[in-house]
Amino acid sequence: MSTIESIIRLRGVEKAFGPKEVLRGIDLDVDTGESLVILGGSGSGKSVLLKHMIRLLRPDTGTVEVDGVDLATLSDRQITNFRRRFGMSFQEGALFDSMTVYENVAFPLRRSTKMSRSEIDARVAECLDMVDLEQAGHKLPSELSGGMRRRVGFARSIALEPKILLFDEPTTGLDPVLTAIIDQVIISLRKQLGSTTVTITHDLNSAFRIADRLAMLHGGQIIEIGPPNAFRASTNPFVQQFLAGSAEGPLHDG
């Protein structure tokens, strides 16, 4: 996909928390319109990497560019506006418990736009329709299943029509059927919006369903990246152990 312009570009990104080195010289390109899935074990730094893409974290060294803009050059006000290019869906949906589904999805529209009530109503309905929850606007998060809460989180993340969607472990804790439903919603949203998507997960079935390319993060570095067939055929022993879900191998050596 080298002929397609990269929308996200990381070069030499390093991040440590105290003595713990989490990212150790990350070079990564996310191509416009693609679905990139980042795999890795627990504590491998997947969420840390994702947060650098939206400047919730700043690298100790290295650069992060989005749409050709170095995020380090933006003021706090500028980065707030710049983040409207992103839709971020956190684990468990991260919904406001005291707000209805409608109010949760309307929240970014009320905060970041001057849309009228009728315009907000129409946009919320459109977003809920995209995730097949058009009848759930009056409900509270506590009345929803885990999968439904995730989908409300998706609806809120697309309210401002972002160019880039970031999904943080979107299927954690869901059974296989709900996981497959969430995967189909992610695929559908990408097609309908024409968005670039970056998803972090440790769920291999989900990863291979939604990915154009997969990247594996281990030891603070991207150790393998490529389309699904090439990724499966990797000769890297760390990748093969991860794919096999085996206790035996280099991932736990030492």
Side-chain angles (χ1 to χ4, degrees), residues 168-204:
D168 183 0
E169 298 281 7
T171 61
T172 294
L174 301 181
D175 64 45
V177 173
L178 286 177
T179 293
I181 290 171
I182 292 297
D183 291 342
Q184 287 303 314
V185 171
I186 291 173
I187 292 167
S188 176
L189 286 177
R190 179 187 164 211
K191 289 180 178 178
Q192 291 183 71
L193 299 172
S195 299
T196 301
T197 62
V198 181
T199 306
I200 60 173
T201 186
H202 61 269
D203 186 320
L204 289 174

Side-chain angles (χ1 to χ4, degrees), residues 140-166:
L140 291 168
S142 60
E143 301 177 273
L144 306 177
S145 68
M148 292 172 75
R149 286 195 295 272
R150 306 291 170 89
R151 285 189 278 153
V152 175
F154 293 176
R156 186 176 61 190
S157 74
I158 64 174
L160 296 175
E161 301 183 76
K163 295 175 63 175
I164 304 166
L165 296 174
L166 305 180

